[in-house]
């Protein structure tokens, strides 16, 4: 047993001491991760997730489909599988069950959360294959509906549910308009420009970032939080690279943390602010949100922050309790497939409207040291008793 523990620690240490894949790469286990998520979906994991999270059913299917598309853009050999699986996921989003918790009376129909993510997935699929004219027309029609809702609104943050609005949802929806214009005719540039101007006039005064939650009239209810910021920074470079760079710098400066010398990880609240966890952030440990950190991996990738992306990925392999089998890979023993969906979506993240910027601020040069010390201590722990016994025998020997 001692040998097994020691070898496991040596392997874990190697993940920190040797270079990690760049942002143009993706984990070699991607297909096995997706196989686990698909098996979980076939077993009803999305229904189970809906009982735990407000959009559990939707997210599990959406992230599964998007991960396949992202993976195929990196590895064209996956294209046919990606088209089949992502179209299957889109059908589930547009099913009666996929729309059940959303209201058809909102503008756009079913609210900006459902409309934005669904439109993004449809556009992502078309970025792989735009030969289906009916799907192209649907994408254009749904994009026009979203654009009309923004044009008619006095606030850049549309409602996801009656009386409830989160800026992150509108960010995804506007990214889908930009994707439309990238793939087809430039129809929504004016709407996007107006949205950007309105957002810049409504930033959280404490952080300079988009608020976490606003009222229907756009007034701020909750300041910027990493749970939504990590998703925002996954999509903002798709909309406006210059604005995204300045916003990402603020996000990194105020949320990137090394609690107790460990990390890097992302705080749920900005530095100097304490708060409690909720259904979005999950439980907070030393102020750190696991969900924000996992999604932050994807944000780092599309913002050209390769060092942070590699560090979070390495920590996930160490702390995420991965179980690798010949045909599948899961984290935390597979008890929460929606977590696996977020992991594979983040670890395959790539821009669909352009290329990520180059250069980043870097990390503290010694960030690996605390992790390495812990791994060394764990590795030698099984042998401590034998070492002590040997020392005692040497002392008692004349």
């Amino acid at each position: 047993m001692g040998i097994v523990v020691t070898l496991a620690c040596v392997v874990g240490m190697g993940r920190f001491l040797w270079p990690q894949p760049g942002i143009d790469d993706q984990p070699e286990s991607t297909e096995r991760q997706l196989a686990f998520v698909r098996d979980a979906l076939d077993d009803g994991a999305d229904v189970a997730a809906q009982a735990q999270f407000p959009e559990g059913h939707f997210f599990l299917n959406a992230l599964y489909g998007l991960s396949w598309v992202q993976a195929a853009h990196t590895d064209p050999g996956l294209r046919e599988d990606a088209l089949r699986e992502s179209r299957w996921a889109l059908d589930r989003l547009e099913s009666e069950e996929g729309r059940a918790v959303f209201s058809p009376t909102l503008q756009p129909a079913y609210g900006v959360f459902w409309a934005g993510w669904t439109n993004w997935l449809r556009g992502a699929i078309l970025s792989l294959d735009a030969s289906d004219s009916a799907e192209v027309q649907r994408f254009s029609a749904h994009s026009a509906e979203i654009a009309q809702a923004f044009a008619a609104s006095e606030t850049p943050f549309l409602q996801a549910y009656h009386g409830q609005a989160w800026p992150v949802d509108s960010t995804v929806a506007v990214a889908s308009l930009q994707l439309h214009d990238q793939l087809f005719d430039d129809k929504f540039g004016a709407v996007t420009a107006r949205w950007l101007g309105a957002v810049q006039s409504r930033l959280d005064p404490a952080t300079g970032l988009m608020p976490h939650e606003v009222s229907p009239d756009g007034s701020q209810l909750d300041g910027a939080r990493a749970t939504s910021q990590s998703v925002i920074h996954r999509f903002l470079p798709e909309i406006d690279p210059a604005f995204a760079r300045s916003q990402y710098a603020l996000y990194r400066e105020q949320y990137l943390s090394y609690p107790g010398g460990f990390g890097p990880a992302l705080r749920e609240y900005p530095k100097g602010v304490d708060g409690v966890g909720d259904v979005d952030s999950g439980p907070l440990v030393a102020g750190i949100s696991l969900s924000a950190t996992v999604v932050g991996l994807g944000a780092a990738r599309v913002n050209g922050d390769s060092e942070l992306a590699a560090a979070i990925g390495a920590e996930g392999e160490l702390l995420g309790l991965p179980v690798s089998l010949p045909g599948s890979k899961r984290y935390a023993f597979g008890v929460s497939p929606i977590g696996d969906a977020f992991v594979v979506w983040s670890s395959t993240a790539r821009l669909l409207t352009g290329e990520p910027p180059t250069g980043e601020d870097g990390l503290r040069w010694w960030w690996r040291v605390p992790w390495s010390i812990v791994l060394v201590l764990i590795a030698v722990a099984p042998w401590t008793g034998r070492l002590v016994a040997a020392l005692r025998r040497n002392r008692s020997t004349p």
Side-chain angles (χ1 to χ4, degrees):
M1 183 64 181
I3 294 176
V4 173
V5 172
T6 302
L7 288 176
C9 290
V10 170
V11 171
M13 188 179 299
R15 299 185 187 279
F16 291 95
L17 300 181
W18 276 276
Q20 302 296 318
I23 56 176
D24 291 332
D25 302 319
Q26 60 194 14
E28 55 83 23
S29 61
T30 294
E31 288 181 76
R32 289 185 287 122
Q33 290 177 265
L34 288 168
F36 168 71
V37 177
R38 176 58 196 259
D39 286 345
L41 283 167
D42 288 340
D43 289 339
D46 48 359
V47 176
Q50 186 61 42
Q52 300 171 344
F53 308 100
E55 295 94 16
H57 181 281
F58 186 96
F59 262 134
L60 193 47
N61 286 286
L63 298 179
Y64 175 70
L66 288 170
S67 299
W68 266 112
V69 173
Q70 292 173 166
H73 272 290
T74 299
D75 181 358
L78 299 176
R79 180 175 176 274
E80 293 307 315
D81 289 339
L83 286 170
R84 182 188 65 251
E85 295 301 307
S86 58
R87 287 165 176 163
W88 176 84
L90 179 60
D91 287 343
R92 292 170 74 86
L93 298 188
E94 296 188 311
S95 69
E96 185 175 339
E97 189 172 19
R99 297 178 301 189
V101 299
F102 305 103
S103 173
T105 63
L106 288 170
Q107 295 298 322
Y110 300 102
V112 73
F113 172 88
W114 183 90
W117 280 93
T118 302
N119 209 46
W120 177 258
L121 177 55
R122 176 171 276 111
I125 294 169
L126 292 172
S127 72
L128 287 179
D129 179 10
S131 63
D132 187 336
S133 59
E135 279 300 289
V136 173
Q137 291 175 0
R138 289 190 189 95
F139 184 42
S140 294
H142 287 301
S143 296
E145 182 186 2
I146 291 171
Q148 184 178 5
F150 279 113
S153 174
E154 295 182 359
T155 167
F157 307 132
L158 305 182
Q159 296 179 60
Y161 302 96
H162 283 292
Q164 296 178 289
W166 291 266
V168 60
D169 301 332
S170 291
T171 305
V172 178
V174 173
S176 76
L177 301 183
Q178 189 71 3
L179 180 57
H180 176 279
D181 286 3
Q182 177 76 16
L183 296 175
F184 306 109
D185 297 334
D186 186 356
K187 292 182 177 180
F188 307 115
V191 173
T192 299
R194 178 177 178 267
W195 181 83
L196 283 166
V199 165
Q200 291 167 4
S201 69
R202 290 170 171 81
L203 297 174
D204 171 24
T207 61
L209 298 164
M210 287 191 219
H212 179 68
E213 185 178 2
V214 298
S215 64
D217 65 5
S219 57
Q220 181 171 311
L221 296 177
D222 194 0
R225 290 173 49 183
T227 299
S228 56
Q229 285 297 313
S230 292
V231 180
I232 286 171
H233 294 292
R234 163 60 188 90
F235 286 95
L236 201 55
E238 308 275 11
I239 302 171
D240 187 288
F243 182 49
R245 281 194 294 274
S246 63
Q247 287 284 285
Y248 184 77
L250 291 173
Y251 159 76
R252 208 178 191 277
E253 175 186 348
Q254 296 178 80
Y255 293 90
L256 187 62
S257 181
Y258 300 83
F262 292 88
L266 291 162
R267 295 174 50 86
E268 175 64 10
Y269 297 90
K271 294 174 182 177
V273 177
D274 294 321
V276 297
D278 57 18
V279 68
D280 292 324
S281 68
L284 304 184
V285 179
I288 298 300
S289 167
L290 176 61
S291 61
T293 301
V294 168
V295 178
L297 165 59
R301 283 175 60 89
V302 300
N303 282 278
D305 197 348
S306 57
E307 190 173 355
L308 179 58
I312 295 175
E315 290 172 340
E317 293 303 306
L318 179 66
L319 302 176
L321 303 176
V323 177
S324 294
L325 300 173
S328 69
K329 181 178 181 181
R330 66 205 67 187
Y331 291 85
F333 303 107
V335 298
S336 181
I338 193 170
D340 291 87
F342 272 105
V343 169
V344 69
W345 176 61
S346 296
S347 63
T348 59
R350 59 178 299 127
L351 292 177
L352 299 185
T353 62
E355 297 296 327
T358 57
E360 64 273 346
D361 293 336
L363 301 174
R364 296 179 180 179
W365 66 267
W366 48 264
W367 75 267
R368 292 178 175 86
V369 174
W371 292 114
S372 298
I373 291 173
V374 169
L375 288 170
V376 169
L377 292 175
I378 295 174
V380 302
W383 311 101
T384 302
R386 296 183 183 183
L387 178 61
V388 170
L391 291 173
R392 288 176 176 172
R393 283 196 301 270
N394 288 339
R395 289 179 181 175
S396 61
T397 301

